Amino acid sequence: MNLNELKHGKARAWIDEMVKICEPDQVYLCDGSKAEYDRLMQEMIDSGLAIPLKKRPNSVLFRSQPSDVARVEGRTYIASQKEEDAGPTNNWIDPVELKKTMTKLYTGCMHGRTMYVIPYCMGPVGSPISKIGFEITDSAYVVCNMIIMTRVGTKVLEALGTDGEFVPCLHSVGKPLAKGESDNGQWPCADMENKYISQFPEERTIWSYGSGYGGNALLGKKCFALRIASVLARDEGWLAEHMLILKLTNPEGKVKYVTGAFPSACGKTNLAMLIPTIPGWKVETIGDDIAWMKFGDDGRLYAINPEAGFFGVAPGTSDQSNKNAMESCKENSIFTNCALTEDGDIWWELIGYPAKGKLVDWKGNVRDALPKDKSPKGEEFAHPNARFTAPAKQCPCIAPEWEDPKGVPISAFLFGGRRPSTIPLVHQARSWNHGVFLGSIVGSEVTAAVISDQVGQVRRDPFAMLPFCGYHMGDYFKHWINIGKKTTAEKLPKIFYVNWFRKDEEGNFMWPGYGDNSRVLAWIFDRCDEKDNAVETEIGFMPKDGAINTDGLDVSAEAMKEILSVDKEGWKKEIDDIRKNHYPKFGAKLPKELMEELDALEGRLK
Ligand code: O2Y
Ligand code: MN
């Protein structure tokens, strides 16, 4: 599309200003069509950047630079005017200084390249919960991923009109080309010290430079839908959360929607696409990573998935762990940093079968495949953060209403982490504020750390939002407390803490997880209907004896008892850790309500 077709004056002025700074060879306005996607992809195949996969229709493999394989938290900044507004858990830089530094980097950064202008919508176009952004990028890889992950193009421009609001997002891989130079099939990016993933919360603006990978470059995802949206949500009274959204149907056909926040490596995508092992229950997916929730006229919270695709971790995904994710990426998908097989398919560690013959690993080296689907650490064929980008509509268990502009009414929030001890399989908060307390102490135990004395400690990731909150986490906790005052208790979602990762003394998992987590979801479903299936304990409500369906489950009665009891001594240590190491980080901004919850819990455990 021609830029002259853009009728939005403010957007046009901003684009013109960025063109002047970045000096691209040409500017192209994306229409989001299949023809455009196919054309850009073909150009990347022709240039050697993308490899078509014979075994997967309309799918390709990319290999990034080894220095550009994941989000870079150390180079991610919240550039608020005041440092205290970013808080102690974000990297803060003065916005004026940062703009000076980045403007220097952006100057002429698109020499030899096309500037793509992507009008995109986070959420169904026309939904009152959705929001629009423009991403300027010099990466066709980013354009194709954005077309899968968001709604792009003409329909978005129509919804924006001539004066609608948008979030400006500027992205460059940071590798200008000299005259006649090309990428030569190599993934372009800048050195680590020149990578900047910057959010300007007061201006609601995103500037990203130097990385072409994932959350650093697909700016609708973590930068907009979480860091900037969390600021908008605070100011406008809603929630922008790092949560999956799933639909649960019980054997009587009754439906409830649940969201869940889990730190990375806790199986969030698997839970969002779970296949239940208990008869008559059904799980369908609304979203696997992010939820935006606003109050409806009926006083309930309604959630949309702002995304249109999955950017899932490939290693560990298999027909056994997540058949629905495997089906989702069978075609029309982009794979990044996976291994390539001789017959033109992708392969990764724990895909469920060994590869045959030779493999090209994620660095481009040809190596003999191993007779198993595991590799020694550091010698993986696929990078541990290798990804598939797949359209959500290809997921066999996507709920028919996943794009409902109204959103879906939420009955329960789940929090969880990897906790080998102390935290039971499931417990329910006693109240909203107690639930906010549970969200604030979310964390996973460190299993392999660079500093070995950290092993066994809990690395806290409150609400799984630590890397994604665009403002001070203490103010974020307060925002959650305030949300609880906006409606009546019975209309608020009930809050639960789940832990699929309890281990016995030999280090074996005590709960099978995966599809069997449906047994816990069924208990939660019934709790939302106030069924008499719980007992009150010191830590909250827990399943009555026999209230979790264990038919056909290979878990002993003693093990069930252990994972469903209150470990008083463990909780006392937990409280000690929160008091000494966790809550002090938030200083005077820690809401008094959370300290009251901590004191009350301690009192109940005495
Ligand atoms: O490493 C990246 O750039 C991707 S991070 C990511 C991708 C999809 C869903 N969640 C995440 C995350 O880090 O939470
Ligand atoms: Mn995520």
Side-chain angles (χ1 to χ4, degrees), residues 221-222 226 242 262 268 288-290 468:
K221 195 171 180 58
K222 304 298 185 183
L226 290 175
H242 189 203
F262 299 82
K268 204 166 133 203
D288 79 325
D289 195 37
I290 299 174
F468 305 120

